[in-house]
Amino acid sequence: AKSTLALPQDITIAWLQILAFFFCMRSCEYSDVKGDRRTKTVCVRNIRFYLHNKLIPNNSQHIFTATTVSITFEWQKRDVRDDTITHQRSNDSIGNKIMCPVRAAAELVSALYNLGLPSAQVPNLKINTVIHRGKLSTIPSTMILQRIRSAVKYLGKDKLGFTEDDVGTHSNRSGGAMGMFLAGTPVYTS
């Protein structure tokens, strides 16, 4: 079967969703939303990769070997500034180790450095940036919502237990929190 993830924005959306799941991100932290928001979209400068506590530069291909990834959220809805969250590489044993916060962040950051832009420009790019029709653009939450609902509709209520009307761009936030709970993460840490 031919992959339906053919467009750069579809691949970016997939990596954004994985990253958003692990970091329980609000939609405004990984996509463009309508209206003014206090919360800022994560940029490349907000992501740090480490190999056993040694910082790996974001423009290095060694980010794929990192053991942890940290994201600094500049300003959050709950009025917290510069809140840094760190995740370790997951032990995902399915496929190509896709369900991993380190890999998702590395894929997004690497793709942005590979756009051919001046390297000084990349740190300020939002993680939802893509080239569309020859121009830089950012992926809106409306496009992400459409992709999420299409996937849920394709998989179906019989398999999932819910319909596309039951999900949205915040579903990965609540899903990530539930995943942490089911993995035994103490409630007071989330």
Side-chain angles (χ1 to χ4, degrees):
K2 193 172 184 180
S3 172
T4 57
L5 288 178
L7 302 173
Q9 65 258 27
D10 289 328
I11 295 167
T12 299
I13 288 170
W15 291 120
L16 286 169
Q17 289 301 290
I18 293 167
L19 193 66
F21 171 80
F22 278 99
F23 283 88
C24 300
M25 295 167 83
R26 295 173 176 89
S27 58
C28 54
E29 293 170 334
Y30 67 91
S31 66
D32 286 356
V33 295
K34 292 182 180 177
D36 289 333
R37 304 289 171 120
R38 178 180 306 170
T39 305
K40 303 296 179 202
T41 306
V42 171
C43 294
V44 172
R45 70 176 175 269
N46 304 122
I47 300 175
R48 299 282 186 271
F49 297 93
Y50 297 91
L51 179 62
H52 307 296
N53 298 321
K54 183 180 177 192
L55 182 65
I56 303 171
N58 280 359
N59 61 351
S60 169
Q61 284 300 309
H62 294 291
I63 61 176
F64 287 94
T65 65
T67 50
T68 60
V69 61
S70 296
I71 297 179
T72 299
F73 296 90
E74 290 179 3
W75 197 1
Q76 292 189 356
K77 187 176 185 178
R78 56 189 174 100
D79 217 13
V80 174
R81 289 182 182 254
D82 299 324
D83 190 20
T84 300
I85 309 294
T86 301
H87 276 289
Q88 295 180 338
R89 176 176 293 285
S90 75
N91 292 321
D92 172 31
S93 60
I94 300 171
N96 291 325
K97 302 188 183 317
I98 291 171
M99 287 303 293
C100 174
V102 173
R103 172 138 185 230
E107 293 283 356
L108 291 165
V109 169
S110 177
L112 293 171
Y113 272 102
N114 288 325
L115 290 177
L117 300 170
S119 60
Q121 185 179 351
V122 178
N124 294 319
L125 292 177
K126 295 178 180 180
I127 60 170
N128 62 324
T129 301
V130 292
I131 297 277
H132 183 68
R133 297 184 179 159
K135 295 188 333 188
L136 282 180
S137 64
T138 52
I139 297 172
S141 62
T142 53
M143 181 184 285
I144 293 174
L145 176 61
Q146 187 273 328
R147 299 305 195 277
I148 293 169
R149 288 188 172 163
S150 291
V152 169
K153 185 175 181 177
Y154 175 79
L155 293 170
K157 183 178 181 176
D158 291 342
K159 185 177 267 188
L160 298 173
F162 53 86
T163 70
E164 66 270 15
D165 294 329
D166 298 320
V167 296
T169 56
H170 279 76
S171 294
N172 49 30
R173 183 169 168 79
S174 56
M178 180 57 74
M180 288 171 38
F181 173 76
L182 293 173
T185 302
V187 176
Y188 59 83
T189 63
S190 40

